[in-house]
Amino acid sequence: RPGELRSFQAVLPPELWIHLAVVACGNRLEETLVMLKSAVLFSHRKMQFHIFTEESLKPEFDKQLRQWPDSYTKKFEHRIYPITFSAGNPQEWKKLFKPCAAQRLFL
């Protein structure tokens, strides 16, 4: 009806997932985990996290996400990807941008 507010749950089918992509490098592990946890906490939908990070952070991301309580872990899945220069000449991109900045641009 005109003028009525409808909830997101009424508008979107429940089987749709939210896909959230993040890039985390250096000392950004904890703040990224807080952001992901907030997204799960405040969402009514299942989420798929696409985490782009340095090799050194991959095990810690995986470990931390698996330690969350069941009430969180049943609401999301995650996949961890390496930081890459995916377009054109990687050596040229490396001269222009740091790897994480370039990854954000490619996203």
Side-chain angles (χ1 to χ4, degrees):
R1 293 182 205 158
E4 266 187 36
L5 292 177
R6 296 186 339 180
S7 74
F8 286 114
Q9 291 174 334
V11 176
L12 297 174
E15 67 274 5
L16 291 180
W17 285 54
I18 294 173
H19 290 261
L20 181 61
V22 297
V23 179
C25 296
N27 61 355
R28 303 289 187 178
L29 175 82
E30 288 302 318
E31 73 182 38
T32 304
L33 289 168
V34 169
M35 186 271 299
L36 295 174
K37 191 176 277 190
S38 293
V40 170
L41 179 64
F42 292 109
S43 175
H44 298 289
R45 299 194 170 279
K46 287 195 170 198
M47 304 191 88
Q48 176 70 47
F49 297 147
H50 302 277
I51 303 167
F52 294 83
T53 192
E54 300 165 311
E55 285 295 321
S56 61
L57 293 179
K58 284 182 179 184
E60 192 61 24
F61 262 113
D62 199 48
K63 176 185 168 193
Q64 292 288 331
L65 290 169
R66 292 180 190 282
Q67 289 178 349
W68 286 3
D70 287 344
S71 60
Y72 286 88
T73 59
K74 69 181 180 184
K75 292 179 66 179
F76 77 90
E77 293 178 3
H78 73 280
R79 189 160 174 210
I80 301 174
Y81 306 88
I83 300 292
T84 60
F85 289 95
S86 60
N89 181 351
Q91 296 307 321
E92 192 63 32
W93 283 107
K94 287 180 183 180
K95 292 178 195 173
L96 298 172
F97 300 101
K98 292 184 178 180
C100 283
Q103 188 69 66
R104 288 183 188 98
L105 289 173
F106 291 135
L107 284 177

